[in-house]
Amino acid sequence: MSSQFGHQLKISIFGQSHSAGIGVVIDGLPAGEPIDLDEVAAFMARRAPGNSPASTARKEADIPQILSGLYEGRTCGAPLAAVIANTDARSGDYAAIADKPRPAHADFTAHVKYGGANDVRGGGHFSGRLTAPLCFAGAVCAQILARRGITVGAHAATIGTTFDESFDPVTVTADELRSVSKKPFPTISDASAEAMLAEIAEAKARGDSMGGVIECFAVGLPVGLGEPMFGGVEGRIAEAVFGIPAVKGLEFGSGFYGSTLCGSENNDPFRVVDGRIVTETNNHGGILGGITSGMPLVLRAAIKPTPTLMQEQQTVSLSLGENATLPPKGRHDPCIVPRAVPVIEAAVAAVLLDLWLESGDFPKGA
């Protein structure tokens, strides 16, 4: 199933951007885990639309209705299912794109694959709207991980020409990661946030859009999660992260920059500190041979510019088989990066919990 990921923990997402609702089913959660729904709501609010000048004008409360899986505030062993109502859809904005696919969207490929039966409104099942239920699932997983000392956090590393500061990949702490999640704009440096917002505003004024890079960390991981070759941590995370609309690139540790270094520069020397084996540097990003090393997990995801523009774009008429133009219309984020930060966190948290459950060493009742 293309809308499902996970092995021991299976997460299945359903719905379309303009359907009555969207939702998620999480199967395989350990029973007896308390879930703070206020914390879940706070996590989801970081992704919700309409809360920033950098986001779409679409307003959605994104309040999940729990259908099953919780009893007296705890997971009960049954699949946890939640649905989120779509309340501010404007389907009329998308009447033209059934015949004129939008550049850089999935309109054309979905039309061909599904014989024109695909729901084009708001991108249908290909929409970033589907990241709301993913955030619900990730928020639940993050709580379970946090009780066992694992924290996942991310920030907007770059937008346009502006670069944010970065955490030290060796010494980054859970408190540092949590500090970003409490900010109205997800950067480490407040000056970087102001500069990014200014660049986004300039692009929006031109009817244009921007992309960027999100850097994500996970701290407190045990040594030994993941398997070699096709069961490696990088591959499992990539499967989930590339399911997020707009993600076009992914790197771990020193990533592509590391490929320009010599081995003597990129290797991370081992040391014993307080009886624990660590590395002096963390170019490996917390993963060796597809297996967690106990050092902080470090990854970066490239987010493409929002493809919907308030500019006329060149396209084709599918019915006439001729060139056409698409007028500017609809509501969209001039930059999706700020709202995508918690989505990356959600995907990573879900995969890490799945890997830990799969290992057989998951500590119950923590």
Side-chain angles (χ1 to χ4, degrees):
M1 293 175 62
S2 65
S3 300
Q4 176 180 291
F5 70 96
H7 292 221
Q8 184 75 19
L9 181 71
K10 292 181 171 60
I11 296 175
S12 181
I13 293 173
F14 62 87
Q16 298 107 254
S17 179
H18 288 207
S19 59
I22 53 180
V24 61
V25 178
I26 314 168
D27 197 359
L29 287 169
E33 294 288 335
I35 302 300
D36 187 330
L37 293 179
D38 289 336
E39 280 190 25
V40 170
F43 187 100
M44 294 181 66
R46 295 167 55 207
R47 190 224 68 94
N51 295 324
S52 163
S55 77
T56 174
R58 180 173 179 175
K59 294 286 290 184
E60 295 285 2
D62 283 357
I63 299 173
Q65 177 187 359
I66 310 301
L67 303 181
S68 66
L70 291 183
Y71 179 67
E72 297 183 342
R74 293 175 178 267
T75 56
C76 63
L80 175 56
V83 64
I84 302 166
N86 286 328
T87 60
D88 190 27
R90 295 182 185 174
S91 301
D93 289 347
Y94 298 91
I97 67 171
D99 185 58
K100 297 178 180 179
R102 297 166 296 173
H105 279 275
D107 303 335
F108 168 68
T109 51
H111 174 84
V112 173
K113 182 173 182 65
Y114 301 116
N118 56 299
D119 183 353
V120 300
R121 301 168 302 166
H125 191 62
F126 297 89
S127 171
R129 180 82 186 119
L130 275 295
T131 61
L134 175 58
C135 275
F136 172 85
V140 168
C141 294
Q143 285 188 36
I144 295 172
L145 290 173
R147 279 193 288 274
R148 292 157 178 84
I150 295 175
T151 301
V152 179
H155 69 116
T158 69
I159 291 178
T161 62
T162 302
F163 286 72
D164 190 21
E165 298 172 6
S166 184
F167 292 123
D168 187 311
V170 175
T171 63
V172 58
T173 66
D175 285 343
E176 287 177 318
L177 298 179
R178 284 191 288 263
S179 69
V180 175
S181 68
K182 297 174 183 177
K183 293 186 174 185
F185 195 90
T187 53
I188 299 167
S189 163
D190 293 339
S192 295
E194 292 179 8
M196 289 179 182
L197 281 166
E199 289 206 52
I200 294 169
E202 290 175 6
K204 183 178 181 180
R206 300 191 305 269
D208 215 334
S209 64
M210 305 189 76
V213 174
I214 294 171
E215 184 174 52
C216 183
F217 300 83
V219 299
L221 288 166
V223 180
L225 299 184
E227 302 290 340
M229 295 191 71
F230 307 115
V233 176
E234 298 102 325
R236 295 282 288 274
I237 289 176
E239 179 185 18
V241 169
F242 276 120
I244 299 169
V247 173
K248 299 300 286 185
L250 184 61
E251 67 176 12
F252 294 83
S254 61
F256 289 100
Y257 171 71
S259 69
T260 69
L261 302 176
C262 294
S264 57
E265 298 171 297
N266 194 59
N267 288 356
D268 301 308
F270 285 107
R271 297 180 57 194
V272 175
V273 177
D274 297 328
R276 177 171 170 256
I277 297 175
V278 298
T279 57
E280 290 184 359
T281 51
N282 192 17
N283 290 318
H284 69 289
I287 306 168
L288 293 168
I291 300 169
T292 55
S293 69
M295 296 297 290
L297 180 72
V298 185
L299 63 97
R300 290 168 215 92
I303 309 295
K304 73 178 182 180
T306 310
T308 301
L309 306 178
M310 294 307 290
Q311 299 178 7
E312 184 175 87
Q313 297 193 74
Q314 300 300 309
T315 184
V316 296
S317 167
L318 296 172
S319 62
L320 300 177
E322 62 185 30
N323 295 331
T325 58
L326 195 64
K329 192 173 184 181
R331 297 171 295 174
H332 66 283
D333 296 76
C335 180
I336 200 68
V337 173
R339 291 176 57 212
V341 166
V343 184
I344 297 293
E345 294 176 10
V348 172
V351 173
L352 292 178
L353 180 56
D354 185 28
L355 286 165
W356 207 356
L357 291 169
E358 192 178 19
S359 75
D361 294 325
F362 182 76
K364 297 182 179 179

mmCIF file of all heavy atoms in Angstrom, residues 272-303:
data_model
loop_
_atom_site.group_PDB
_atom_site.id
_atom_site.type_symbol
_atom_site.label_atom_id
_atom_site.label_comp_id
_atom_site.label_asym_id
_atom_site.label_seq_id
_atom_site.Cartn_x
_atom_site.Cartn_y
_atom_site.Cartn_z
ATOM 1 N N VAL A 272 36.526 6.933 24.538
ATOM 2 C CA VAL A 272 35.748 6.496 25.693
ATOM 3 C C VAL A 272 35.596 7.687 26.626
ATOM 4 O O VAL A 272 36.580 8.274 27.069
ATOM 5 C CB VAL A 272 36.423 5.323 26.433
ATOM 6 C CG1 VAL A 272 35.641 4.971 27.700
ATOM 7 C CG2 VAL A 272 36.530 4.110 25.528
ATOM 8 N N VAL A 273 34.357 8.066 26.891
ATOM 9 C CA VAL A 273 34.051 9.185 27.790
ATOM 10 C C VAL A 273 33.077 8.680 28.848
ATOM 11 O O VAL A 273 31.974 8.224 28.523
ATOM 12 C CB VAL A 273 33.435 10.366 27.010
ATOM 13 C CG1 VAL A 273 33.049 11.486 27.972
ATOM 14 C CG2 VAL A 273 34.406 10.892 25.960
ATOM 15 N N ASP A 274 33.511 8.747 30.103
ATOM 16 C CA ASP A 274 32.674 8.289 31.227
ATOM 17 C C ASP A 274 32.174 6.866 31.000
ATOM 18 O O ASP A 274 31.005 6.537 31.265
ATOM 19 C CB ASP A 274 31.483 9.226 31.426
ATOM 20 C CG ASP A 274 31.911 10.637 31.804
ATOM 21 O OD1 ASP A 274 32.954 10.774 32.472
ATOM 22 O OD2 ASP A 274 31.217 11.594 31.410
ATOM 23 N N GLY A 275 33.054 6.028 30.486
ATOM 24 C CA GLY A 275 32.724 4.622 30.278
ATOM 25 C C GLY A 275 31.883 4.340 29.055
ATOM 26 O O GLY A 275 31.486 3.185 28.833
ATOM 27 N N ARG A 276 31.613 5.354 28.246
ATOM 28 C CA ARG A 276 30.760 5.195 27.063
ATOM 29 C C ARG A 276 31.578 5.466 25.810
ATOM 30 O O ARG A 276 32.361 6.417 25.759
ATOM 31 C CB ARG A 276 29.580 6.170 27.155
ATOM 32 C CG ARG A 276 28.655 6.170 25.967
ATOM 33 C CD ARG A 276 27.418 7.007 26.250
ATOM 34 N NE ARG A 276 26.624 7.225 25.037
ATOM 35 C CZ ARG A 276 26.586 8.357 24.356
ATOM 36 N NH1 ARG A 276 27.287 9.408 24.769
ATOM 37 N NH2 ARG A 276 25.846 8.471 23.272
ATOM 38 N N ILE A 277 31.395 4.646 24.787
ATOM 39 C CA ILE A 277 32.096 4.841 23.519
ATOM 40 C C ILE A 277 31.341 5.875 22.690
ATOM 41 O O ILE A 277 30.155 5.704 22.388
ATOM 42 C CB ILE A 277 32.228 3.518 22.740
ATOM 43 C CG1 ILE A 277 33.073 2.519 23.547
ATOM 44 C CG2 ILE A 277 32.852 3.764 21.361
ATOM 45 C CD1 ILE A 277 33.167 1.144 22.919
ATOM 46 N N VAL A 278 32.041 6.950 22.332
ATOM 47 C CA VAL A 278 31.463 8.026 21.525
ATOM 48 C C VAL A 278 32.449 8.365 20.407
ATOM 49 O O VAL A 278 33.517 7.764 20.303
ATOM 50 C CB VAL A 278 31.190 9.285 22.383
ATOM 51 C CG1 VAL A 278 30.179 8.968 23.482
ATOM 52 C CG2 VAL A 278 32.482 9.824 22.984
ATOM 53 N N THR A 279 32.065 9.317 19.563
ATOM 54 C CA THR A 279 32.993 9.798 18.538
ATOM 55 C C THR A 279 33.280 11.279 18.783
ATOM 56 O O THR A 279 32.422 12.020 19.288
ATOM 57 C CB THR A 279 32.426 9.626 17.117
ATOM 58 O OG1 THR A 279 31.156 10.303 17.018
ATOM 59 C CG2 THR A 279 32.226 8.152 16.793
ATOM 60 N N GLU A 280 34.490 11.712 18.441
ATOM 61 C CA GLU A 280 34.891 13.105 18.661
ATOM 62 C C GLU A 280 34.106 14.055 17.763
ATOM 63 O O GLU A 280 33.788 15.172 18.154
ATOM 64 C CB GLU A 280 36.391 13.275 18.404
ATOM 65 C CG GLU A 280 37.277 12.621 19.439
ATOM 66 C CD GLU A 280 38.750 12.904 19.179
ATOM 67 O OE1 GLU A 280 39.061 13.587 18.184
ATOM 68 O OE2 GLU A 280 39.580 12.451 19.995
ATOM 69 N N THR A 281 33.847 13.615 16.550
ATOM 70 C CA THR A 281 33.043 14.382 15.598
ATOM 71 C C THR A 281 31.841 13.523 15.209
ATOM 72 O O THR A 281 31.715 12.382 15.660
ATOM 73 C CB THR A 281 33.872 14.760 14.361
ATOM 74 O OG1 THR A 281 34.500 13.567 13.840
ATOM 75 C CG2 THR A 281 34.964 15.769 14.710
ATOM 76 N N ASN A 282 30.976 14.070 14.373
ATOM 77 C CA ASN A 282 29.773 13.303 14.025
ATOM 78 C C ASN A 282 29.439 13.453 12.549
ATOM 79 O O ASN A 282 28.299 13.725 12.178
ATOM 80 C CB ASN A 282 28.589 13.746 14.899
ATOM 81 C CG ASN A 282 27.391 12.810 14.801
ATOM 82 O OD1 ASN A 282 27.510 11.674 14.335
ATOM 83 N ND2 ASN A 282 26.232 13.289 15.207
ATOM 84 N N ASN A 283 30.439 13.277 11.709
ATOM 85 C CA ASN A 283 30.182 13.326 10.268
ATOM 86 C C ASN A 283 29.309 12.171 9.813
ATOM 87 O O ASN A 283 28.642 12.259 8.771
ATOM 88 C CB ASN A 283 31.507 13.320 9.497
ATOM 89 C CG ASN A 283 32.272 14.619 9.655
ATOM 90 O OD1 ASN A 283 31.691 15.694 9.612
ATOM 91 N ND2 ASN A 283 33.578 14.529 9.858
ATOM 92 N N HIS A 284 29.302 11.078 10.574
ATOM 93 C CA HIS A 284 28.468 9.927 10.193
ATOM 94 C C HIS A 284 27.001 10.151 10.549
ATOM 95 O O HIS A 284 26.142 9.330 10.190
ATOM 96 C CB HIS A 284 28.997 8.642 10.848
ATOM 97 C CG HIS A 284 28.833 8.577 12.337
ATOM 98 N ND1 HIS A 284 29.568 9.344 13.218
ATOM 99 C CD2 HIS A 284 28.009 7.826 13.124
ATOM 100 C CE1 HIS A 284 29.221 9.054 14.466
ATOM 101 N NE2 HIS A 284 28.277 8.134 14.428
ATOM 102 N N GLY A 285 26.689 11.245 11.237
ATOM 103 C CA GLY A 285 25.295 11.580 11.529
ATOM 104 C C GLY A 285 24.577 10.583 12.398
ATOM 105 O O GLY A 285 23.347 10.451 12.332
ATOM 106 N N GLY A 286 25.321 9.864 13.245
ATOM 107 C CA GLY A 286 24.694 8.933 14.174
ATOM 108 C C GLY A 286 24.348 7.580 13.599
ATOM 109 O O GLY A 286 23.677 6.781 14.261
ATOM 110 N N ILE A 287 24.806 7.303 12.360
ATOM 111 C CA ILE A 287 24.475 6.024 11.709
ATOM 112 C C ILE A 287 25.724 5.450 11.067
ATOM 113 O O ILE A 287 26.396 6.106 10.262
ATOM 114 C CB ILE A 287 23.397 6.208 10.623
ATOM 115 C CG1 ILE A 287 22.161 6.907 11.195
ATOM 116 C CG2 ILE A 287 23.008 4.855 10.020
ATOM 117 C CD1 ILE A 287 21.183 7.385 10.133
ATOM 118 N N LEU A 288 26.049 4.205 11.398
ATOM 119 C CA LEU A 288 27.173 3.490 10.786
ATOM 120 C C LEU A 288 26.680 2.128 10.311
ATOM 121 O O LEU A 288 26.122 1.363 11.098
ATOM 122 C CB LEU A 288 28.322 3.308 11.792
ATOM 123 C CG LEU A 288 29.048 4.588 12.236
ATOM 124 C CD1 LEU A 288 29.948 4.307 13.445
ATOM 125 C CD2 LEU A 288 29.878 5.158 11.084
ATOM 126 N N GLY A 289 26.840 1.839 9.025
ATOM 127 C CA GLY A 289 26.370 0.567 8.489
ATOM 128 C C GLY A 289 24.870 0.405 8.575
ATOM 129 O O GLY A 289 24.369 -0.715 8.647
ATOM 130 N N GLY A 290 24.135 1.529 8.570
ATOM 131 C CA GLY A 290 22.680 1.471 8.681
ATOM 132 C C GLY A 290 22.185 1.293 10.094
ATOM 133 O O GLY A 290 20.974 1.147 10.313
ATOM 134 N N ILE A 291 23.086 1.361 11.081
ATOM 135 C CA ILE A 291 22.758 1.093 12.483
ATOM 136 C C ILE A 291 23.111 2.311 13.327
ATOM 137 O O ILE A 291 24.157 2.939 13.129
ATOM 138 C CB ILE A 291 23.530 -0.150 12.981
ATOM 139 C CG1 ILE A 291 23.158 -1.369 12.134
ATOM 140 C CG2 ILE A 291 23.270 -0.407 14.456
ATOM 141 C CD1 ILE A 291 24.047 -2.571 12.363
ATOM 142 N N THR A 292 22.236 2.663 14.275
ATOM 143 C CA THR A 292 22.501 3.825 15.122
ATOM 144 C C THR A 292 23.740 3.589 15.980
ATOM 145 O O THR A 292 23.961 2.500 16.517
ATOM 146 C CB THR A 292 21.305 4.133 16.038
ATOM 147 O OG1 THR A 292 20.970 2.969 16.797
ATOM 148 C CG2 THR A 292 20.113 4.593 15.227
ATOM 149 N N SER A 293 24.551 4.657 16.115
ATOM 150 C CA SER A 293 25.808 4.559 16.862
ATOM 151 C C SER A 293 25.677 5.090 18.282
ATOM 152 O O SER A 293 26.617 4.979 19.074
ATOM 153 C CB SER A 293 26.894 5.366 16.145
ATOM 154 O OG SER A 293 26.618 6.770 16.226
ATOM 155 N N GLY A 294 24.543 5.697 18.608
ATOM 156 C CA GLY A 294 24.380 6.327 19.907
ATOM 157 C C GLY A 294 24.678 7.811 19.893
ATOM 158 O O GLY A 294 24.328 8.525 20.834
ATOM 159 N N MET A 295 25.321 8.290 18.834
ATOM 160 C CA MET A 295 25.531 9.721 18.671
ATOM 161 C C MET A 295 24.255 10.358 18.111
ATOM 162 O O MET A 295 23.385 9.650 17.582
ATOM 163 C CB MET A 295 26.712 9.974 17.726
ATOM 164 C CG MET A 295 28.049 9.465 18.246
ATOM 165 S SD MET A 295 28.574 10.285 19.777
ATOM 166 C CE MET A 295 28.952 11.926 19.156
ATOM 167 N N PRO A 296 24.128 11.688 18.208
ATOM 168 C CA PRO A 296 22.918 12.317 17.666
ATOM 169 C C PRO A 296 22.702 11.992 16.192
ATOM 170 O O PRO A 296 23.647 12.004 15.399
ATOM 171 C CB PRO A 296 23.185 13.813 17.864
ATOM 172 C CG PRO A 296 24.096 13.870 19.052
ATOM 173 C CD PRO A 296 24.984 12.663 18.917
ATOM 174 N N LEU A 297 21.460 11.667 15.858
ATOM 175 C CA LEU A 297 21.080 11.463 14.460
ATOM 176 C C LEU A 297 20.952 12.834 13.802
ATOM 177 O O LEU A 297 20.316 13.733 14.360
ATOM 178 C CB LEU A 297 19.749 10.720 14.399
ATOM 179 C CG LEU A 297 19.178 10.397 13.019
ATOM 180 C CD1 LEU A 297 19.984 9.295 12.363
ATOM 181 C CD2 LEU A 297 17.724 9.973 13.141
ATOM 182 N N VAL A 298 21.559 12.991 12.640
ATOM 183 C CA VAL A 298 21.539 14.283 11.943
ATOM 184 C C VAL A 298 21.154 14.052 10.489
ATOM 185 O O VAL A 298 21.793 13.256 9.788
ATOM 186 C CB VAL A 298 22.910 14.983 11.998
ATOM 187 C CG1 VAL A 298 22.816 16.383 11.365
ATOM 188 C CG2 VAL A 298 23.426 15.081 13.426
ATOM 189 N N LEU A 299 20.117 14.732 10.023
ATOM 190 C CA LEU A 299 19.724 14.631 8.621
ATOM 191 C C LEU A 299 19.215 15.972 8.136
ATOM 192 O O LEU A 299 18.810 16.826 8.921
ATOM 193 C CB LEU A 299 18.660 13.546 8.434
ATOM 194 C CG LEU A 299 17.321 13.746 9.136
ATOM 195 C CD1 LEU A 299 16.294 14.357 8.184
ATOM 196 C CD2 LEU A 299 16.798 12.435 9.685
ATOM 197 N N ARG A 300 19.243 16.155 6.814
ATOM 198 C CA ARG A 300 18.733 17.376 6.191
ATOM 199 C C ARG A 300 17.860 16.999 5.000
ATOM 200 O O ARG A 300 18.244 16.132 4.206
ATOM 201 C CB ARG A 300 19.883 18.279 5.729
ATOM 202 C CG ARG A 300 20.659 18.903 6.858
ATOM 203 C CD ARG A 300 21.969 19.555 6.415
ATOM 204 N NE ARG A 300 22.953 19.359 7.480
ATOM 205 C CZ ARG A 300 23.785 18.348 7.548
ATOM 206 N NH1 ARG A 300 23.799 17.429 6.582
ATOM 207 N NH2 ARG A 300 24.612 18.238 8.567
ATOM 208 N N ALA A 301 16.722 17.677 4.897
ATOM 209 C CA ALA A 301 15.785 17.428 3.796
ATOM 210 C C ALA A 301 15.633 18.695 2.970
ATOM 211 O O ALA A 301 15.413 19.784 3.512
ATOM 212 C CB ALA A 301 14.428 16.992 4.341
ATOM 213 N N ALA A 302 15.762 18.549 1.653
ATOM 214 C CA ALA A 302 15.588 19.677 0.738
ATOM 215 C C ALA A 302 14.121 19.786 0.350
ATOM 216 O O ALA A 302 13.502 18.808 -0.084
ATOM 217 C CB ALA A 302 16.446 19.479 -0.505
ATOM 218 N N ILE A 303 13.559 20.982 0.509
ATOM 219 C CA ILE A 303 12.151 21.240 0.217
ATOM 220 C C ILE A 303 12.079 22.140 -1.010
ATOM 221 O O ILE A 303 12.660 23.232 -1.028
ATOM 222 C CB ILE A 303 11.451 21.944 1.396
ATOM 223 C CG1 ILE A 303 11.715 21.189 2.713
ATOM 224 C CG2 ILE A 303 9.965 22.089 1.124
ATOM 225 C CD1 ILE A 303 11.151 19.814 2.789
#
